[in-house]
Amino acid sequence: MNQLEKIFFLKPVLNKLSRLLTRRHKVYMAILLVWIIGLSLIETLGISAIMPFISLASNPGLLASGWYKKIFDFLGFISAEKFIITFGICIICFYIFRAIYSVFLTYFMNRFSFGIYKYFSKKTFKTWLSVSYKAFAQKNSGELMYSITGETSYISKITLSILHLCSEFFTILMIYTVIIFINWKMTLVITGILLFMVLVLLSILTKISKAQGIKLITANGNMSRTLKESLGNLKYVKLKNNEENILRSYDSTINVATRAQVVNGVLGVVPKSILESIGFSFLVAVVVFIIWVYSDASKVIPTISMYALALYRILPSIHRMLLNVNDIAFAEHALSKVYESLHQPVENEGSMPVDFNRSVRLEDVYFKYMTGNDVLSGISLEIKKGEKIAITGESGGGKSTLVDIIIGIHKPISGKVCIDDTVITDDNIRSWRKKIGYIPQSIYLFDGTVAENVSFGSEPDNEKIKAALKKANIWDFLAQKEGLNTLVGEGGIQLSGGQQQRIGIARALYDNPEVLVLDEATSALDTETEQKIMDEIYTVSENKTLIVIAHRLSTVERCDRKICIEHGKLI
């Protein structure tokens, strides 16, 4: 990347942003830009009106000639005093209008900016829900959560910075248009000096800001990951007595994030100090030079005063422009990450009907993850409706992957899965999944009521929830507490292992599935509790197809068939 590209890095940022924004966003942004140009015009008029007012107030005799007299006569004023007072009142009203206009514009700009955050956060979340499970399994959940809630917020900041950048640019442009008519030579000299300084500052500051932005985004992702992994396994952390190691790791990461923000904060102050020093020093130097050469600066004082007033408004605008460019450079890495997330392959899955009347059939199925060798090799298998099937084998042999293929979570690399004579494809896979009730080894229970955990995002139906809890043989226990409103605590901490498992069974039964799948669902329970739960499962699955993954032979002894899989092949 050459030096020019380092300075004008906005082009790739704008290209990515343009591809991400919808047509509606662009129209809204164009409307805001028109409002921004209006504010810049108001700012310029406000500054331009101050000098004539001060001149008239200090020298009413100016009304006797020139444009002042023409305006005075046109408006029909009789006395200079009334004209100046009216002029002053108009300026006050104008500045009140300017303030109201500015507040409303700021409101709509922020509303647009945070609307962008809401849109991209939701869209990124939707994208990650729509990727293949195989791709999802390669990602860390803590980093994904930060991508959805943290990185997307930087797009909001970028759009707001671009709008502010345009606002300051148009303000500077219009003020320059005014002062160039006052003295174009002096204006060009000041412009050349300031432009040179701005380009130098941009070439240095944007490079530093980009680097610090990458550090911050990476550190925030690592912090989210550490928090999720540690707080989600607090019991294990305490048993290992490694709180200090985790805290040291977190401290190291947060130090990187803090340093990045400190450096970025300092970079925001540097341009203001440099530009103000150079700009006003130049004006003072001009006055000193004129006094030294001509011994009288009275003739240039009004012009110098106008330039001082203009620079008093322009220099903060240049500073804010540099701040906005700095913020965009700081957030560029986050924009790239969100752009990559939103442009990854997703699965467009449909809900065409699938009837399950006879069997589930796998024909020469192969599967492997993104890295590594085949997990399943040439699997052909038929499971008849109503059968109770046990899948056994050594750990890592492919049991869970086989079941994930059957229930439509994973898709074969080659081969096919058929329900009766219908091949499962992206067009009908949702319909097939709706027929599945799944009970994993580790039941995920969130901090809410039993009813909320059983319905799990579906529209809650209290009668259906109660019926599922009765089938799972836990309703009598809950009835002695708060019934459907019993709180389970985060991770089901207020329930025993067996009770958590029964809530999981109720969740699986809530939509009355045709196929019930147990993925080592009772392996963490003691033998007595496991036996009770398996008895309940066999009872509730009497008219359903049951697929059980288990290590213990006692768990699967009542199954119709036992299938052993080792090294990805049926034995």
Side-chain angles (χ1 to χ4, degrees):
M1 181 182 288
N2 59 41
Q3 192 67 16
L4 195 62
E5 287 173 328
K6 287 180 182 179
I7 296 172
F8 298 104
F9 75 100
L10 283 175
K11 185 177 179 181
V13 172
L14 293 175
N15 284 340
K16 286 179 183 176
L17 195 62
S18 178
R19 292 172 188 168
L20 291 176
L21 293 177
T22 64
R23 184 175 180 274
R24 181 172 174 270
H25 288 142
K26 292 173 183 176
V27 170
Y28 201 114
M29 207 165 181
I31 294 171
L32 286 174
L33 284 174
V34 173
W35 276 49
I36 285 168
I37 293 172
L39 180 63
S40 299
L41 182 60
I42 290 169
E43 291 271 10
T44 306
L45 290 174
I47 291 173
S48 302
I50 291 295
M51 283 306 295
F53 177 73
I54 292 173
S55 298
L56 285 174
S58 60
N59 184 12
L62 292 172
L63 289 171
S65 62
W67 281 102
Y68 292 116
K69 179 173 173 50
K70 291 179 181 179
I71 296 171
F72 183 86
D73 293 339
F74 177 78
L75 296 176
F77 280 93
I78 299 173
S79 71
E81 184 183 55
K82 287 185 178 180
F83 180 84
I84 295 170
I85 291 171
T86 303
F87 191 8
I89 292 171
C90 288
I91 291 176
I92 292 170
C93 292
F94 182 83
Y95 270 89
I96 292 172
F97 168 74
R98 171 191 168 280
I100 295 171
Y101 187 102
S102 178
V103 167
F104 273 96
L105 178 58
T106 302
Y107 166 75
F108 285 113
M109 285 171 62
N110 280 278
R111 181 179 173 184
F112 172 71
S113 172
F114 287 105
I116 290 286
Y117 164 65
K118 182 175 72 173
Y119 170 79
F120 281 109
S121 182
K122 183 179 178 181
K123 189 173 182 181
T124 305
F125 187 29
K126 181 181 179 181
T127 299
W128 281 112
L129 289 177
S130 302
V131 300
S132 68
Y133 190 78
K134 181 166 66 172
F136 173 80
Q138 308 297 314
K139 302 293 182 179
N140 178 272
S141 58
E143 292 175 0
L144 287 184
M145 286 189 285
Y146 178 69
S147 173
I148 294 165
T149 60
E151 290 172 354
T152 51
S153 68
Y154 283 94
I155 300 183
S156 167
K157 294 176 182 177
I158 287 176
T159 54
L160 196 58
S161 293
I162 289 172
L163 290 172
H164 284 307
L165 195 62
C166 293
S167 175
E168 303 299 344
F169 172 76
F170 286 120
T171 299
I172 292 170
L173 182 64
M174 290 183 183
I175 293 174
Y176 261 110
T177 303
V178 171
I179 62 176
I180 204 166
F181 282 106
I182 296 172
N183 189 319
W184 66 270
K185 292 180 181 179
M186 189 170 177
T187 301
L188 289 179
V189 171
I190 293 176
T191 303
I193 293 171
L194 292 179
L195 185 60
F196 173 75
M197 290 307 305
V198 166
L199 292 178
V200 170
L201 288 171
L202 277 177
S203 66
I204 297 171
L205 298 183
T206 54
K207 181 180 179 181
I208 300 173
S209 292
K210 281 185 182 182
Q212 297 306 315
I214 292 172
K215 287 181 181 180
L216 181 63
I217 300 301
T218 305
N220 282 339
N222 291 336
M223 285 161 59
S224 296
R225 178 175 181 172
T226 301
L227 288 172
K228 179 174 173 55
E229 291 174 354
S230 303
L231 297 178
N233 296 280
L234 188 59
K235 185 185 292 185
Y236 189 70
V237 169
K238 288 184 174 293
L239 288 173
K240 290 280 289 182
N241 292 319
N242 62 347
E243 293 96 332
E244 289 301 320
N245 292 335
I246 292 171
L247 284 172
R248 274 196 297 272
S249 174
Y250 184 78
D251 182 62
S252 174
T253 308
I254 202 172
N255 280 340
V256 172
T258 303
R259 280 195 298 269
Q261 289 175 313
V262 168
V263 171
N264 192 51
V266 172
L267 293 179
V269 177
V270 170
K272 181 175 184 290
S273 303
I274 294 175
L275 290 172
E276 286 184 355
S277 299
I278 292 173
F280 287 109
S281 295
F282 176 77
L283 286 180
V284 172
V286 169
V287 174
V288 170
F289 176 77
I290 291 172
I291 293 173
W292 180 50
V293 175
Y294 300 103
S295 302
D296 182 12
S298 59
K299 293 182 179 180
V300 297
I301 289 299
T303 302
I304 295 295
S305 298
M306 185 61 191
Y307 275 97
L309 186 63
L311 285 178
Y312 187 75
R313 180 62 186 84
I314 287 173
L315 290 178
S317 288
I318 295 175
H319 172 237
R320 285 191 288 270
M321 284 183 69
L322 289 172
L323 276 181
N324 288 316
V325 171
N326 186 50
D327 289 341
I328 294 169
F330 194 73
E332 184 185 5
H333 184 64
L335 174 65
S336 298
K337 298 261 287 184
V338 173
Y339 185 86
E340 290 169 8
S341 294
L342 293 178
H343 283 81
Q344 63 184 318
V346 296
E347 298 179 321
N348 296 313
E349 299 169 339
S351 299
M352 290 179 61
V354 173
D355 293 323
F356 177 37
N357 297 312
R358 298 192 303 277
S359 66
V360 180
R361 194 171 68 256
L362 277 67
E363 297 182 3
D364 199 28
V365 166
Y366 284 80
F367 180 83
K368 68 177 180 179
Y369 292 100
M370 290 183 171
T371 56
N373 299 322
D374 288 342
V375 179
L376 299 177
S377 303
I379 300 290
S380 295
L381 172 67
E382 184 175 21
I383 300 173
K384 295 180 180 178
K385 184 169 183 177
E387 263 194 306
K388 309 294 184 281
I389 300 295
I391 299 178
T392 62
E394 61 185 11
S395 295
K399 303 186 299 299
S400 293
T401 303
L402 174 61
V403 169
D404 286 343
I405 293 283
I406 293 171
I407 66 179
I409 297 299
H410 285 315
K411 297 173 184 177
I413 300 296
S414 63
K416 57 185 178 180
V417 180
C418 301
I419 310 303
D420 295 346
D421 296 322
T422 303
V423 178
I424 294 299
T425 64
D426 284 342
D427 295 328
N428 57 23
I429 195 165
R430 287 180 178 269
S431 296
W432 171 235
R433 287 174 183 162
K434 286 182 179 179
K435 300 179 186 296
I436 309 293
Y438 180 70
I439 310 172
Q441 178 180 3
S442 178
I443 303 295
Y444 172 71
L445 298 179
F446 54 85
D447 189 9
T449 65
V450 168
E452 290 169 338
N453 273 277
V454 172
S455 58
F456 199 70
S458 302
E459 189 66 31
D461 182 321
N462 288 346
E463 292 304 316
K464 282 177 61 178
I465 294 171
K466 190 181 294 185
L469 291 168
K470 286 180 178 178
K471 288 179 181 178
N473 201 23
I474 194 175
W475 175 249
D476 291 342
F477 165 77
L478 296 173
Q480 297 173 14
K481 294 185 174 294
E482 301 297 326
L484 297 179
N485 295 318
T486 302
L487 295 172
V488 303
E490 187 174 359
I493 196 170
Q494 297 187 38
L495 303 175
S496 68
Q499 289 163 349
Q500 291 177 25
Q501 214 67 30
R502 286 184 170 89
I503 297 293
I505 295 170
R507 179 187 288 168
L509 296 173
Y510 177 67
D511 290 317
N512 192 27
E514 296 181 41
V515 180
L516 199 58
V517 176
L518 277 75
D519 189 351
E520 302 195 61
T522 58
S523 61
L525 303 176
D526 60 83
T527 305
E528 184 179 352
T529 304
E530 181 194 36
Q531 189 60 51
K532 289 180 181 178
I533 288 179
M534 287 307 302
D535 288 342
E536 292 156 8
I537 287 172
Y538 282 117
T539 300
V540 299
S541 65
E542 185 176 356
N543 297 316
K544 303 180 186 297
T545 303
L546 179 65
I547 301 174
V548 182
I549 300 176
H551 280 101
R552 299 175 187 169
L553 293 177
S554 59
T555 306
V556 298
E557 60 186 7
R558 291 166 61 180
C559 289
D560 302 322
R561 264 197 301 159
K562 297 180 181 64
I563 297 168
C564 183
I565 182 168
E566 291 182 7
H567 304 299
K569 296 182 179 180
L570 292 181
I571 305 300

